[in-house]
Amino acid sequence: MVGVGIAAAVSGAWFASRRGSTPEDASILAEAQVTDLTGKRRSLKEWQGRVLVLNFWATWCEPCREEIPAFMKVREKMFRSGVEFVGIAIDQAAKVAHFAKTVGFNYPLLLAGGDGLDLMRKLGNPSGGLPFTVVFDRAGGVSFRNLGALSGPKIEAQLVRIAAR
């Protein structure tokens, strides 16, 4: 049974990272319903024109928690190159706010609520697994997807390639 789960996760990660950009991706991004930690409605269009790293995560997800420090380091290095990270929590606002205060995030955190799973599926994560990262280029097209934890060097290499375009 464990082997089946591992095989499903590996095939999901392979599929998610290789599915190409579609014209619908930009509209999915524009239509996403998210709020910040104060409950204010936000639009992912705010980061239009930047290389945007959307990281779907939850406080209860250990691999999510493990990749966050690496993301913060890469964001610090690449922000001036036009790269922005945005964390989209699939979790309760109070838990996310407490975790955010503890960690000291250097990038915006948003809440997707129940719509988060649907948003992930539309962006190429049919299993709804976490963590899930999608990188949009400056034009709003998807350049990279990954289901599962990412290391700092792997995401940085992808971002250097995408930001240079």
Side-chain angles (χ1 to χ4, degrees):
M1 194 67 148
V2 171
V4 172
I6 291 171
V10 169
S11 67
W14 182 86
F15 174 78
S17 67
R18 283 155 181 79
R19 181 180 161 251
S21 183
T22 66
E24 296 84 29
D25 290 330
S27 66
I28 291 167
L29 187 63
E31 295 167 5
Q33 298 295 310
V34 292
T35 59
D36 63 20
L37 294 179
T38 68
K40 179 182 174 190
R41 269 259 196 260
R42 301 284 297 268
S43 171
L44 296 173
K45 292 187 292 186
E46 291 176 42
W47 295 281
Q48 200 166 12
R50 297 185 72 85
V51 173
L52 177 61
V53 180
L54 287 186
N55 176 246
F56 293 86
W57 68 285
T59 60
W60 47 263
C61 168
E62 192 58 36
C64 301
R65 294 167 65 111
E66 290 172 5
E67 72 183 356
I68 288 169
F71 284 4
M72 289 174 24
K73 287 179 185 172
V74 174
R75 192 262 185 186
E76 192 172 298
K77 282 185 190 177
M78 300 204 64
F79 181 76
R80 292 183 186 194
S81 300
V83 174
E84 181 59 288
F85 282 72
V86 174
I88 299 185
I90 311 298
D91 209 330
Q92 297 173 0
K95 290 181 179 181
V96 174
H98 175 74
F99 185 73
K101 186 176 180 180
T102 303
V103 172
F105 279 82
N106 65 353
Y107 56 85
L109 294 179
L110 303 173
L111 301 164
D115 294 337
L117 292 175
D118 187 48
L119 179 57
M120 284 194 302
R121 287 183 181 107
K122 287 178 182 177
L123 290 172
N125 180 358
S127 70
L130 293 174
F132 178 59
T133 303
V134 183
V135 179
F136 292 84
D137 62 24
R138 295 177 202 284
V142 173
S143 294
F144 177 77
R145 289 179 174 82
N146 189 79
L147 177 59
L150 281 166
S151 68
K154 183 170 181 176
I155 190 67
E156 186 172 355
Q158 291 295 328
L159 293 174
V160 166
R161 180 182 60 79
I162 296 164
R165 289 192 217 155

